[in-house]
Amino acid sequence: MTKSFLPLACLGIALVACEPKESVVPDETPAPGFTLSQDTIAFGAIELGDRVQQVIQVTNDSGRNLTLDLLWGGDVEAFSASEEYPFLVPPGQVDLVLGFDPQRALDHEGSLSFVEGDDVLARIELQGFADGPALTIDPPALDIDAG
């Protein structure tokens, strides 16, 4: 857990000194009772225009329903999830389908954080490569007459 100090706003006429107020920034470490089957997905190399999917298992052993938001980071337009969020995860295990559908030919990296309220419960790293179609020029040479 990271701690930082923020100045406390001082209001009032006869106030002599202000004490700093401690704020807490949540860690991105897995929460007890919540796990993912993987912490990284490497989708591999695909042709531009193709789509691949992988299933991860989301396990909720907290004994209560969790309402989760998904926070995307990195190359967000290349990755997707099967659930609309926020989504409910009851106690037990559910499958979540993650997709890779890149629109540009290059290496793609991103992340997906599972958040309840202000708490990051888990995070998964996402990677993939999109290879563009072979470019063919026909005719192989152009003769442009400037005259």
Side-chain angles (χ1 to χ4, degrees), residues 34-57:
F34 182 86
T35 56
L36 302 175
S37 58
Q38 297 172 249
D39 59 4
T40 301
I41 292 182
F43 287 99
I46 66 170
E47 289 293 321
L48 199 57
D50 288 348
R51 176 181 173 80
V52 294
Q53 296 179 326
Q54 287 196 23
V55 177
I56 63 167
Q57 286 74 43

Side-chain angles (χ1 to χ4, degrees), residues 82-137:
S82 61
E83 294 292 328
E84 295 292 322
Y85 43 91
F87 69 100
L88 181 70
V89 180
Q93 184 174 322
V94 297
D95 289 342
L96 179 66
V97 180
L98 298 179
F100 179 51
D101 182 16
Q103 303 303 309
R104 295 175 299 167
L106 54 92
D107 281 320
H108 295 273
E109 293 183 357
S111 64
L112 179 58
S113 296
F114 294 77
V115 180
E116 183 185 40
D118 293 333
D119 297 323
V120 176
L121 304 181
R123 179 179 164 146
I124 189 168
E125 299 296 324
L126 307 169
Q127 306 163 352
F129 177 77
D131 194 17
L135 183 61
T136 304
I137 299 175

